[in-house]
Amino acid sequence: MIRDAASQRVNFAGHYVLATWGCGSGCVTAAAIDSKSGRVSSLPFTVSNWPMDVTAPLSYRTNSCLLVVRGSRNESTDRGTYYYAFDGKAFTLLKSKNEARQ
């Protein structure tokens, strides 16, 4: 998945490709690939159990280092919205908001 994504267009944080793939039924994970150096920084968790009205549990933009995660991390029971900053090496949690289970 990472090798295939590395040839795709930049879609995250200026010059990165954010590759996403399934890790089971209702589960996704991701990695940021530096389009200049090829360095790969993996998301340090999986995402699952996102709300039914959410079509993409990971939201991001080409011109921003912000990654918005909706759902549960590492299959925990705490579902929420999590805001991460990517510094070129790692994803750092900035803020989180827990959501009521439905």
Side-chain angles (χ1 to χ4, degrees):
M1 295 303 290
I2 292 173
R3 187 183 326 250
D4 290 341
S7 65
Q8 300 298 315
R9 295 170 63 135
V10 167
N11 64 2
F12 178 60
H15 66 272
Y16 292 86
V17 175
L18 191 70
T20 63
W21 61 93
C23 52
S25 179
C27 178
V28 297
T29 193
I33 306 160
D34 188 321
S35 65
K36 296 178 181 178
S37 70
R39 178 187 168 108
V40 176
S41 300
S42 296
L43 196 60
F45 50 82
T46 61
V47 182
S48 61
N49 192 32
W50 51 87
M52 290 180 62
D53 64 336
V54 173
T55 57
L58 302 177
S59 300
Y60 50 93
R61 296 183 181 173
T62 303
N63 62 349
S64 174
C65 65
L66 181 68
L67 176 67
V68 181
V69 177
R70 297 274 317 271
S72 298
R73 297 169 300 169
N74 289 329
E75 300 182 33
S76 75
T77 58
D78 296 329
R79 182 168 75 185
T81 302
Y82 304 91
Y83 301 87
Y84 285 86
F86 180 67
D87 66 4
K89 295 180 182 176
F91 294 88
T92 302
L93 181 64
L94 300 174
K95 181 180 177 182
S96 66
K97 177 183 170 191
N98 285 342
E99 297 173 2
R101 303 264 300 168
Q102 297 180 354

